[in-house]
Amino acid sequence: MSVVGALVRASHPAPTVAVTSLTMLLAVVAGLRPLTGVVLTTAVLAGQLTIGWSNDLLDADRDARVGRADKPIATGELPRVAVRRALVVALLGCVAASLGVGLASGLVHLVLLVGSG
């Protein structure tokens, strides 16, 4: 499988898609301007990717010891350096998009993101 496919699997795709979709739906229901809704949804998606990838990266050794074949970092299918690079891009995107929605809400999102780790 490709690195992109392995990154998707390592991102915890079900919760990432669920949380991001719910955010998009709430942005529409709240009547946010389309650009604001897109930036907000991007911030949440990037945050979810950051959480998923950092979680799998931190757990990779344990996942390998217990034989988690569904974890591409633990199996060696996904190089750790690729995950670290993707993580930096997602984190930078999360910070930029979060603050792009507004300073107060952006800071709250980033504090919650740090607190979830």
Side-chain angles (χ1 to χ4, degrees), residues 1-108:
M1 167 119 344
S2 71
V3 170
V4 172
L7 279 169
V8 168
R9 289 197 333 268
S11 73
H12 299 219
T16 295
V17 169
V19 170
T20 304
S21 298
L22 181 59
T23 299
M24 184 172 49
L25 178 62
L26 289 171
V28 170
V29 170
L32 297 181
R33 293 179 309 171
L35 181 58
T36 303
V38 168
V39 173
L40 174 65
T41 303
T42 300
V44 170
L45 173 60
Q48 290 298 303
L49 292 173
T50 300
I51 291 167
W53 289 332
S54 63
N55 176 273
D56 267 22
L57 196 55
L58 291 170
D59 291 347
D61 291 335
R62 181 188 54 82
D63 289 340
R65 278 194 308 275
V66 299
R68 293 285 306 264
D70 61 324
K71 299 290 187 173
I73 302 169
T75 64
E77 176 187 352
L78 180 57
R80 291 176 194 226
V81 67
V83 180
R84 287 187 188 102
R85 288 178 182 154
L87 190 52
V88 167
V89 170
L91 184 57
L92 292 174
C94 181
V95 170
S98 294
L99 295 176
V101 175
L103 182 61
S105 62
L107 289 175
V108 168

